[in-house]
Amino acid sequence: ENNLTIQEAARILRYRYFDEVATQQKCSFVLTAHHLDDNIETVFLNLIRGTGIKGLCGIPMQNNRIVRPLLFATRKQIEQYAHENALNWREDSSNQSDKYTRNRIRHHLLPVLHEIQPDMYNVFYQNIQHISSSYRLLEELVKEKMLPLIRENENSLSISLDELKKMPQATLLLYHYIQAFGFNLTQTQQILEQNHQNGKTFTTNNYKAFIYQPYLTILKKDTPNNFKPYYVIEENTLELLEPMHLVFNTLTFNESIKIPNQPHVAFIDFARLSFPLSIRKWKKGDVFYPLGMNKRKKISDFLIDQKIPLYEKENIWVLENKGDIVWIIGYRLDNRYKITSDTKQIWCIEWKK
């Protein structure tokens, strides 16, 4: 179902179990007995499957609270220590089978390499250390190069593709930056192809990326939404902090008042409102009368006309009055609620971004 081998699925479940137990027992770290043989096998596995420099770094010494303190030692050294100190251990019977690629590397490839290079373990240990250090340096240099091209907010980041394409080795630069989100080289090459339609989407297990020229925007996939489905606004509400910061004020209309032409401010005819009002996410089928028009329009069509990127559409809220859309917050007021010569009081809303 998730395109995983049995071993990969078992590994995920095993670490998930370790994490649950560590949390229950209030442990700061989980120590595993991975050794140098495991690390060399992992490097070869990554090479066979296709890997970049990161795959040649092998198994990380630490990954969050998982720590692997024995990566310097070979399997034989650990077994010898156990025998000398009368320590018992358990071994998975599947380790003896050639059914799995890792086992075939262990049983057949590594012995041949050891014949060719008797000092194989030391050579590989030094190589892995060197490649890992070089990769960390590469990461720092990539971040430094990418920093001027990136805009970040709370839930996403956007990369200027136009500026990126002006840089030498743009494909490799982008690949080394976005592989941390799970994107591979093929996806990176596709992202930088010309003539993409806005809204083109690329996904990994945990992230999704949208192209909306000239930006590539990356955000967490299926990010849990902690917001309530709607928020109530009473007549005496002066401020709302969730799902966004809104400030409310009532003004007496006179001809000297200038109606601001700013999308984050709405001036509404107070007499048209029937409290309580509500704020909610827009949904398919919502319609309103855009300011300046006497015909109704689907909000979905309005957002397309405004060229709003897909990832932004998912976070657009509306102000609702007895089933009417009063304001697409930050975008457009409904024409039925505009200020007219008959207006006596103005209900002013400002979105404090």
Side-chain angles (χ1 to χ4, degrees):
E1 181 181 344
N2 294 304
N3 296 318
L4 298 174
T5 66
I6 293 175
Q7 283 192 314
E8 288 170 336
R11 178 182 176 276
I12 291 171
L13 293 173
R14 185 163 60 246
Y15 277 111
R16 188 177 297 168
Y17 173 73
F18 290 161
D19 192 60
E20 289 174 359
V21 173
T23 300
Q24 291 169 3
Q25 300 298 322
K26 299 181 180 178
C27 299
S28 299
F29 299 101
V30 175
L31 274 60
T32 71
H34 289 94
H35 45 69
L36 184 53
D37 293 68
D38 293 321
N39 214 0
I40 296 172
E41 292 163 12
T42 298
V43 169
F44 278 107
L45 269 176
N46 290 339
L47 276 171
I48 291 168
R49 293 169 178 168
T51 185
I53 299 173
K54 186 177 181 181
L56 299 179
C57 297
I59 305 172
M61 183 73 73
Q62 182 171 352
N63 188 2
N64 298 320
R65 62 176 162 190
I66 302 295
V67 181
R68 305 174 180 91
L70 299 179
L71 286 177
F72 69 93
T74 68
R75 176 187 176 91
K76 283 187 176 180
Q77 288 173 330
I78 295 172
E79 286 181 347
Q80 182 179 348
Y81 179 87
H83 284 303
E84 291 174 354
N85 292 274
L87 299 175
N88 296 321
W89 71 88
R90 294 183 181 180
E91 186 167 349
D92 190 335
S93 60
S94 68
N95 286 346
Q96 305 306 318
S97 169
D98 277 351
K99 178 180 178 181
Y100 304 110
T101 305
R102 177 181 288 275
N103 290 359
R104 292 201 293 273
I105 292 171
R106 179 183 304 149
H107 298 151
H108 304 288
L109 178 59
L110 295 193
V112 173
L113 290 174
H114 196 266
E115 287 181 12
I116 296 171
Q117 171 54 276
D119 197 26
M120 177 193 78
Y121 286 109
N122 183 54
V123 170
F124 267 93
Y125 180 78
Q126 296 299 328
N127 282 338
I128 290 171
Q129 294 299 307
H130 176 69
I131 294 170
S132 297
S133 298
S134 299
Y135 182 72
R136 288 193 293 271
L137 174 61
L138 176 63
E139 282 186 309
E140 292 302 318
L141 294 175
V142 167
K143 287 179 183 177
E144 185 179 310
K145 286 286 188 182
M146 291 293 291
L147 186 60
L149 314 182
I150 293 172
R151 300 188 309 179
E152 288 192 71
N153 60 38
E154 185 178 355
N155 297 313
S156 66
L157 64 85
S158 297
I159 301 169
S160 173
L161 295 179
D162 285 351
E163 294 302 315
L164 175 65
K165 289 174 183 177
K166 296 176 185 177
M167 304 182 75
Q169 300 296 330
T171 301
L172 285 177
L173 188 58
L174 180 61
Y175 167 63
H176 283 297
Y177 187 81
I178 66 174
Q179 70 170 340
F181 303 101
F183 296 98
N184 59 41
L185 182 58
T186 300
Q187 289 174 309
T188 306
Q189 292 167 335
Q190 291 172 347
I191 286 168
L192 289 176
E193 287 176 358
Q194 300 294 328
N195 304 319
H196 270 311
Q197 289 186 340
N198 285 333
K200 177 70 174 177
T201 305
F202 302 86
T203 62
T204 66
N205 287 337
N206 297 312
Y207 291 89
K208 53 187 173 181
F210 302 96
I211 289 182
Y212 191 78
Q213 298 292 356
Y215 293 103
L216 172 74
T217 298
I218 300 172
L219 65 162
K220 189 97 172 175
K221 189 163 64 176
D222 301 324
T223 301
N225 188 356
N226 296 322
F227 295 140
K228 296 181 291 187
Y230 65 90
Y231 294 77
V232 174
I233 301 173
E234 302 289 352
E235 186 173 349
N236 60 354
T237 300
L238 299 177
E239 189 175 28
L240 195 68
L241 298 178
E242 290 185 304
M244 56 189 61
H245 187 188
L246 299 176
V247 177
F248 307 94
N249 190 22
T250 304
L251 307 173
T252 301
F253 178 73
N254 63 67
E255 294 182 358
S256 65
I257 291 180
K258 293 184 178 180
I259 300 174
N261 184 24
Q262 298 172 325
H264 64 281
V265 178
F267 273 30
I268 299 166
D269 189 333
F270 188 84
R272 301 281 302 174
L273 303 174
S274 299
F275 291 90
L277 310 181
S278 64
I279 287 177
R280 61 167 174 82
K281 290 280 187 75
W282 78 280
K283 61 180 185 289
K284 188 177 180 180
D286 279 340
V287 296
F288 82 129
Y289 291 77
L291 184 63
M293 296 176 59
N294 292 317
K295 292 183 179 180
R296 72 178 190 173
K297 191 180 189 76
K298 289 183 178 179
I299 289 183
S300 57
D301 292 339
F302 170 79
L303 297 178
I304 290 172
D305 292 345
Q306 297 296 307
K307 296 181 170 56
I308 307 300
L310 181 60
Y311 64 90
E312 286 188 18
K313 291 180 184 179
E314 295 175 353
N315 291 297
I316 290 177
W317 296 76
V318 296
L319 175 66
E320 189 174 36
N321 173 52
K322 302 298 183 185
D324 287 348
I325 303 298
V326 178
W327 183 29
I328 303 177
I329 299 175
Y331 291 93
R332 186 71 65 87
L333 185 70
D334 186 289
N335 196 61
R336 295 166 294 178
Y337 292 85
K338 67 183 180 182
I339 305 303
T340 69
S341 57
D342 295 325
T343 299
K344 300 291 189 285
Q345 282 189 305
I346 299 171
W347 196 50
C348 173
I349 314 176
E350 183 177 2
W351 178 14
K352 299 280 190 179
K353 288 191 177 183

